[in-house]
Amino acid sequence: ETGVTQSPTHLIKTRGQQVTLRCSSQSGHNTVSWYQQALGQGPQFIFQYYREEENGRGNFPPRFSGLQFPNYSSELNVNALELDDSALYLCASSSGTGVVTEAFFGQGTRLTVV
Amino acid sequence: EDQVTQSPEALRLQEGESSSLNCSYTVSGLRGLFWYRQDPGKGPEFLFTLYSAGEEKEKERLKATLTKKESFLHITAPKPEDSATYLCAVQGNYGQNFVFGPGTRLSVLP
């Protein structure tokens, strides 16, 4: 079991609402990456935070935003929810910004938009 | 653009029937290739990192190998508890993120 925890585990929201997902990174890790995984597909990179700064972003619109706190935990915020935002949201904890030796994932947050 | 494909999409094996999963990749300079196991509704579980062609790593019934264009995950004498989706991901030179393949869904029947 990894030291990466995500909350909540499940969430149901209505189209147009806003949502905040949370991730606590593993001890000793200062980098958090967020991924979206649709059913039956591989995870898609949303963005990464390193020492409280955004350090890379995938092909997601600006309504997906994030934060990283001094203790390296992180939040993913999604505004104006759309039905297609329904997915498993994963955070990954790692160290540094160079070659990744290991990255551990949390259990994910299952978001359903109705 | 970095890309990862995996085959087969799904694989059914009898307990004890060894096989291999394939991960093919195109990447702008490979920093690392990663294998994960994912159970339904859960986050991916880290298995291996491979860095250069010719490298091999083993863990219990699993062995991962790497060439310049693909990686194989060999499963020897699998058990039903090995049933899961196996994901392959690469980290390229120009990004801090992983690019994942779609996964191979493995079912091991008793």
Side-chain angles (χ1 to χ4, degrees):
Chain A
E1 202 170 295
T2 74
V4 182
T5 58
Q6 292 186 242
S7 62
T9 55
H10 295 85
L11 201 54
I12 300 175
K13 288 286 189 178
T14 302
R15 190 172 49 182
Q17 285 187 316
Q18 179 265 342
V19 69
T20 297
L21 311 182
R22 295 177 175 84
C23 172
S24 295
S25 61
Q26 180 150 312
S27 177
H29 285 179
N30 52 19
T31 302
V32 172
S33 305
W34 286 91
Y35 291 81
Q36 180 195 66
Q37 187 176 25
L39 206 58
Q41 299 182 21
Q44 299 287 315
F45 175 67
I46 303 174
F47 44 59
Q48 182 184 84
Y49 278 84
Y50 170 67
R51 293 186 175 179
E52 303 178 59
E53 297 285 333
E54 187 177 292
N55 184 52
R57 187 179 184 93
N59 189 26
F60 280 81
R63 59 189 185 85
F64 285 78
S65 63
L67 283 174
Q68 188 178 35
F69 300 98
N71 66 355
Y72 304 129
S73 66
S74 178
E75 285 183 356
L76 164 65
N77 299 290
V78 187
N79 294 321
L81 284 167
E82 301 177 0
L83 296 179
D84 284 349
D85 295 333
S86 295
L88 183 67
Y89 287 85
L90 298 163
C91 76
S93 167
S94 59
S95 187
T97 59
V99 175
V100 176
T101 55
E102 58 189 17
F104 297 112
F105 283 82
Q107 80 278 17
T109 294
R110 170 69 63 188
L111 173 64
T112 303
V113 182
V114 297
Chain B
E1 185 180 334
D2 299 345
Q3 288 189 328
V4 177
T5 59
Q6 292 186 246
S7 62
E9 182 177 324
L11 181 63
R12 296 180 73 176
L13 300 173
Q14 290 295 133
E15 185 172 2
E17 180 186 2
S18 301
S19 188
S20 296
L21 313 183
N22 176 266
C23 169
S24 295
Y25 63 90
T26 55
V27 65
S28 53
L30 181 70
R31 285 187 170 182
L33 184 139
F34 302 80
W35 281 99
Y36 285 87
R37 168 200 169 120
Q38 186 174 30
D39 292 308
K42 297 191 176 180
E45 175 189 342
F46 174 75
L47 294 174
F48 304 109
T49 309
L50 302 167
Y51 297 104
S52 57
E55 189 174 359
E56 299 182 352
K57 287 193 176 173
E58 288 188 66
K59 179 181 178 179
E60 296 181 356
R61 295 177 293 282
L62 301 176
K63 178 180 176 180
T65 62
L66 181 64
T67 72
K68 287 187 177 180
K69 293 184 178 182
E70 57 191 359
S71 176
F72 291 93
L73 184 66
H74 307 279
I75 303 177
T76 302
K79 298 181 178 181
E81 53 261 42
D82 295 322
S83 298
T85 295
Y86 289 85
L87 295 166
C88 170
V90 296
Q91 183 192 16
N93 271 341
Y94 299 111
Q96 305 304 324
N97 59 293
F98 290 176
V99 175
F100 279 88
T104 292
R105 192 169 63 253
L106 174 67
S107 300
V108 182
L109 307 176

Coordinates of all heavy atoms in Angstrom, one line a residue, chain A residues 35 37 42-43 45 48 55 88 90 97-101 103-107, chain B residues 31 34 36 38 41-44 46 49 51 87 91 96-98 100-102:
Chain A
Y35 N -3.9 12.8 -13.1 CA -4.3 12.1 -14.3 C -5.8 11.9 -14.3 O -6.4 11.7 -13.2 CB -3.6 10.8 -14.4 CG -2.1 10.9 -14.7 CD1 -1.2 11.1 -13.6 CD2 -1.6 10.8 -16.0 CE1 0.1 11.2 -13.9 CE2 -0.2 10.8 -16.2 CZ 0.6 11.1 -15.1 OH 2.0 11.2 -15.4
Q37 N -8.6 9.3 -15.9 CA -8.8 8.0 -16.5 C -10.2 7.6 -16.8 O -11.0 7.4 -15.9 CB -8.2 6.8 -15.6 CG -8.1 5.5 -16.3 CD -7.4 4.4 -15.5 OE1 -7.4 4.5 -14.3 NE2 -6.9 3.4 -16.2
G42 N -6.3 4.2 -20.7 CA -5.2 4.5 -19.8 C -5.3 6.0 -19.3 O -6.0 6.8 -19.8
P43 N -4.6 6.2 -18.1 CA -4.7 7.6 -17.6 C -4.1 8.6 -18.5 O -3.1 8.4 -19.3 CB -3.8 7.5 -16.3 CG -3.8 6.0 -16.0 CD -3.8 5.3 -17.3
F45 N -2.6 12.6 -18.7 CA -1.9 13.6 -17.9 C -2.7 14.9 -17.9 O -3.0 15.5 -19.0 CB -0.5 13.8 -18.4 CG 0.3 14.9 -17.7 CD1 0.6 14.8 -16.4 CD2 0.7 16.0 -18.4 CE1 1.4 15.8 -15.8 CE2 1.4 17.0 -17.8 CZ 1.8 16.9 -16.5
Q48 N 1.1 18.8 -13.5 CA 2.0 18.4 -12.5 C 2.4 19.6 -11.6 O 2.6 20.7 -12.2 CB 3.3 17.8 -13.1 CG 4.3 17.3 -12.0 CD 5.6 16.8 -12.7 OE1 6.5 17.6 -13.0 NE2 5.7 15.5 -12.9
N55 N 4.3 22.6 -13.2 CA 5.5 22.2 -13.9 C 5.2 21.4 -15.1 O 5.8 20.3 -15.3 CB 6.4 21.5 -12.9 CG 7.7 21.1 -13.5 OD1 8.4 21.9 -14.0 ND2 8.1 19.8 -13.4
L88 N -12.2 8.5 -13.4 CA -11.4 8.2 -12.2 C -10.3 9.2 -12.3 O -9.5 9.3 -13.2 CB -10.9 6.8 -12.2 CG -10.1 6.4 -11.0 CD1 -11.0 6.3 -9.7 CD2 -9.4 5.0 -11.2
L90 N -6.8 10.4 -10.7 CA -5.7 9.8 -10.0 C -4.6 10.9 -9.7 O -4.3 11.7 -10.6 CB -5.0 8.7 -10.8 CG -5.9 7.5 -11.2 CD1 -5.3 6.7 -12.3 CD2 -6.1 6.6 -10.0
T97 N 12.1 16.6 -10.6 CA 11.5 16.9 -11.9 C 12.3 16.3 -13.0 O 12.0 16.5 -14.2 CB 11.4 18.4 -12.1 OG1 12.8 19.0 -12.1 CG2 10.6 19.1 -11.1
G98 N 13.3 15.5 -12.7 CA 14.1 14.9 -13.7 C 13.6 13.5 -14.0 O 12.4 13.3 -14.2
V99 N 14.6 12.6 -14.2 CA 14.2 11.2 -14.4 C 13.5 10.6 -13.2 O 14.0 10.7 -12.1 CB 15.5 10.3 -14.7 CG1 15.1 8.9 -14.9 CG2 16.2 10.9 -15.9
V100 N 12.3 10.1 -13.5 CA 11.5 9.5 -12.4 C 11.9 8.1 -12.2 O 12.0 7.3 -13.1 CB 10.0 9.6 -12.8 CG1 9.2 8.9 -11.7 CG2 9.5 11.0 -13.0
T101 N 12.3 7.8 -10.9 CA 12.6 6.4 -10.6 C 11.4 5.6 -10.2 O 11.4 4.4 -10.4 CB 13.7 6.4 -9.5 OG1 13.2 7.1 -8.4 CG2 15.0 7.1 -10.0
A103 N 7.0 6.3 -9.2 CA 5.8 7.2 -9.0 C 4.7 6.3 -8.4 O 4.4 5.3 -9.0 CB 5.4 7.9 -10.3
F104 N 4.2 6.8 -7.3 CA 3.1 6.0 -6.7 C 1.8 6.7 -6.8 O 1.7 7.9 -6.5 CB 3.5 5.7 -5.2 CG 4.7 4.9 -5.0 CD1 5.9 5.5 -4.5 CD2 4.8 3.6 -5.4 CE1 7.0 4.8 -4.3 CE2 5.9 2.9 -5.2 CZ 7.1 3.5 -4.7
F105 N 0.8 5.9 -7.1 CA -0.5 6.5 -7.3 C -1.4 6.3 -6.0 O -1.2 5.3 -5.3 CB -1.2 5.8 -8.5 CG -0.8 6.3 -9.8 CD1 0.4 5.8 -10.4 CD2 -1.5 7.3 -10.5 CE1 0.8 6.3 -11.6 CE2 -1.0 7.8 -11.7 CZ 0.1 7.3 -12.3
G106 N -2.4 7.2 -5.9 CA -3.4 7.0 -4.9 C -4.5 6.1 -5.4 O -4.4 5.6 -6.6
Q107 N -5.5 5.9 -4.6 CA -6.6 4.9 -5.0 C -7.6 5.6 -6.0 O -8.4 4.9 -6.5 CB -7.3 4.4 -3.8 CG -8.3 5.4 -3.2 CD -7.7 6.4 -2.3 OE1 -6.5 6.7 -2.3 NE2 -8.6 7.0 -1.5
Chain B
R31 N 13.3 8.4 -21.0 CA 13.9 8.6 -19.7 C 13.6 7.3 -18.9 O 14.4 6.9 -18.1 CB 13.3 9.8 -19.0 CG 13.9 11.1 -19.4 CD 13.4 12.2 -18.6 NE 14.1 13.5 -18.8 CZ 13.8 14.6 -18.2 NH1 12.9 14.6 -17.2 NH2 14.5 15.7 -18.5
F34 N 7.7 2.4 -17.6 CA 7.1 1.9 -16.3 C 6.0 0.9 -16.6 O 5.2 1.1 -17.5 CB 6.5 3.1 -15.6 CG 7.5 4.2 -15.3 CD1 7.9 5.1 -16.2 CD2 8.1 4.3 -14.0 CE1 8.9 6.1 -16.0 CE2 9.1 5.2 -13.8 CZ 9.5 6.1 -14.7
Y36 N 2.7 -0.9 -14.6 CA 1.8 -0.8 -13.4 C 0.8 -1.9 -13.6 O 0.4 -2.3 -14.7 CB 1.1 0.5 -13.4 CG 1.9 1.7 -12.9 CD1 2.7 2.4 -13.8 CD2 2.0 2.0 -11.5 CE1 3.5 3.5 -13.3 CE2 2.7 3.1 -11.1 CZ 3.5 3.8 -12.0 OH 4.3 4.9 -11.6
Q38 N -3.3 -2.6 -12.4 CA -4.4 -1.9 -11.9 C -5.6 -2.8 -11.7 O -6.0 -3.4 -12.6 CB -4.8 -0.7 -12.8 CG -5.9 0.2 -12.2 CD -6.2 1.4 -13.1 OE1 -6.0 1.4 -14.3 NE2 -6.6 2.5 -12.5
G41 N -11.4 -0.2 -10.4 CA -11.8 0.9 -9.5 C -10.7 1.4 -8.6 O -10.9 2.2 -7.7
K42 N -9.4 0.9 -8.8 CA -8.3 1.3 -7.9 C -7.2 2.0 -8.7 O -7.2 2.0 -9.9 CB -7.8 0.0 -7.2 CG -8.8 -0.6 -6.3 CD -8.1 -1.7 -5.4 CE -9.1 -2.2 -4.4 NZ -8.5 -3.3 -3.5
G43 N -6.3 2.6 -7.9 CA -5.2 3.3 -8.6 C -4.2 2.3 -9.0 O -4.1 1.1 -8.5
P44 N -3.3 2.7 -10.0 CA -2.3 1.8 -10.5 C -1.3 1.5 -9.4 O -0.9 2.3 -8.6 CB -1.7 2.6 -11.6 CG -2.7 3.5 -12.1 CD -3.4 3.9 -10.8
F46 N 2.6 0.3 -8.7 CA 3.9 0.3 -9.4 C 4.5 -1.1 -9.4 O 4.5 -1.8 -8.3 CB 4.8 1.2 -8.6 CG 6.2 1.2 -9.1 CD1 6.6 1.8 -10.3 CD2 7.2 0.6 -8.4 CE1 7.9 1.8 -10.8 CE2 8.5 0.6 -8.8 CZ 8.8 1.2 -10.0
T49 N 10.4 -0.2 -13.2 CA 10.9 0.9 -14.1 C 12.1 0.3 -14.8 O 13.0 -0.3 -14.2 CB 11.4 2.1 -13.3 OG1 10.4 2.5 -12.3 CG2 11.8 3.3 -14.2
Y51 N 15.1 1.5 -17.8 CA 15.7 2.7 -18.3 C 16.4 2.6 -19.7 O 16.5 3.6 -20.4 CB 16.7 3.3 -17.3 CG 16.1 3.7 -16.0 CD1 16.2 2.9 -14.9 CD2 15.3 4.9 -15.9 CE1 15.6 3.3 -13.7 CE2 14.7 5.2 -14.8 CZ 14.9 4.4 -13.6 OH 14.3 4.8 -12.5
L87 N -0.7 -1.8 -17.1 CA -0.5 -0.6 -17.9 C 1.0 -0.3 -18.1 O 1.8 -0.6 -17.2 CB -1.1 0.6 -17.1 CG -2.6 0.7 -16.8 CD1 -2.9 1.7 -15.8 CD2 -3.3 1.0 -18.1
Q91 N 8.2 7.9 -19.9 CA 8.6 9.3 -19.6 C 9.6 9.7 -20.6 O 10.6 9.1 -20.7 CB 9.1 9.5 -18.2 CG 9.5 10.9 -17.9 CD 10.3 11.1 -16.7 OE1 10.9 10.2 -16.1 NE2 10.3 12.4 -16.2
Q96 N 7.7 16.0 -17.8 CA 7.7 15.4 -16.5 C 6.6 14.4 -16.3 O 6.6 13.7 -15.3 CB 7.7 16.4 -15.4 CG 8.7 17.5 -15.6 CD 10.1 17.0 -15.6 OE1 10.4 16.0 -15.0 NE2 10.9 17.6 -16.5
N97 N 5.7 14.2 -17.3 CA 4.6 13.4 -17.2 C 4.8 12.0 -17.8 O 5.8 11.8 -18.5 CB 3.4 14.0 -17.8 CG 3.7 14.2 -19.3 OD1 4.5 15.1 -19.7 ND2 3.0 13.5 -20.2
F98 N 3.9 11.1 -17.5 CA 3.9 9.8 -18.1 C 2.9 9.8 -19.2 O 1.8 10.4 -19.1 CB 3.5 8.7 -17.1 CG 4.5 8.4 -16.0 CD1 4.2 7.5 -15.0 CD2 5.8 9.0 -16.0 CE1 5.1 7.2 -14.0 CE2 6.7 8.7 -15.0 CZ 6.4 7.8 -14.0
F100 N 0.7 7.1 -21.0 CA 0.2 5.7 -20.8 C -0.3 5.0 -22.0 O -0.9 5.7 -22.9 CB -0.9 5.7 -19.7 CG -0.4 5.7 -18.3 CD1 -0.2 6.9 -17.7 CD2 -0.2 4.6 -17.6 CE1 0.3 7.0 -16.4 CE2 0.3 4.6 -16.3 CZ 0.5 5.8 -15.7
G101 N -0.2 3.7 -22.1 CA -0.9 2.9 -23.1 C -2.3 2.6 -22.5 O -2.6 2.9 -21.4
P102 N -3.2 2.0 -23.4 CA -4.5 1.7 -23.0 C -4.7 0.5 -22.0 O -5.7 0.3 -21.4 CB -5.2 1.4 -24.3 CG -4.2 0.9 -25.2 CD -2.9 1.7 -24.8

